[in-house]
Amino acid sequence: MNLNRAVQILSSPVTGALEYLGKYPSHAKGDFPNSRATVTFMKMMNLFFKIHDVSDRLQHIRQLDETHAPFVDIGDDRLEWLQNTFQEYIDSIQRESKKNYKRGLTKETAHALKFTAYSTAKCVSPVRMKCGSQDAADA
């Protein structure tokens, strides 16, 4: 899948629309009552993309979305999310998929997502933060 298309599909407006249809099925022509897991996946991946989007260092100001902000504090909640919450979520996808005889993510995709998230968090080191390194803000 094209990355730009994935970012668009997993965006907040699309996720919000699917979440709305799941909550209010009378407004939908299709069947959306079991969309909760899909909505959760879309939200998690959207956050993953936002954290890793370093294309514009000021977009967090224009978009009023701190998720896009450069890392400037080692206590940033996004680092904990990358190191723990996201890791556990990917593991849960694999575990639940296997338990329900579904394919889940490929081993390679799961590993790449976890590795990227963990590496991003580790690249934002306390030493870089103390030195005010530009690398830390770009990580």
Side-chain angles (χ1 to χ4, degrees), residues 18-122:
L18 185 58
E19 187 172 29
Y20 177 85
L21 294 172
K23 286 182 181 177
Y24 304 102
S26 62
H27 297 174
K29 291 186 177 185
D31 187 22
F32 294 93
N34 298 322
S35 61
R36 191 171 4 142
T38 301
V39 168
T40 300
F41 176 79
M42 293 171 76
K43 285 180 177 181
M44 295 293 269
M45 293 309 300
N46 185 34
L47 182 55
F48 178 84
F49 286 140
K50 283 181 177 183
I51 289 172
H52 288 92
D53 181 5
V54 294
S55 63
D56 182 348
R57 299 185 56 191
L58 299 176
Q59 67 183 329
H60 68 285
I61 297 168
R62 286 191 306 280
Q63 296 177 2
L64 301 176
D65 185 355
E66 288 298 313
T67 309
H68 287 286
F71 291 104
V72 293
D73 179 15
I74 197 65
D76 192 315
D77 291 339
R78 295 173 297 168
L79 296 174
E80 189 279 329
W81 186 86
L82 287 167
Q83 286 181 314
N84 299 311
T85 307
F86 189 71
Q87 305 287 326
E88 292 167 11
Y89 177 70
I90 296 299
D91 288 341
S92 75
I93 288 176
Q94 301 301 80
R95 191 174 45 255
E96 292 299 314
S97 296
K98 189 173 185 177
K99 185 169 83 175
N100 292 300
Y101 304 103
K102 305 289 182 189
R103 290 195 303 188
L105 302 170
T106 65
K107 288 179 184 179
E108 295 82 5
T109 299
H111 177 75
L113 287 168
K114 290 177 66 174
F115 180 79
T116 301
Y118 187 79
S119 297
T120 299
K122 289 300 181 186

Side-chain angles (χ1 to χ4, degrees), residues 2-29:
N2 179 307
L3 182 61
N4 289 333
R5 187 172 300 136
V7 170
Q8 291 171 349
I9 290 170
L10 301 171
S11 69
S12 296
V14 176
T15 302
L18 185 58
E19 187 172 29
Y20 177 85
L21 294 172
K23 286 182 181 177
Y24 304 102
S26 62
H27 297 174
K29 291 186 177 185

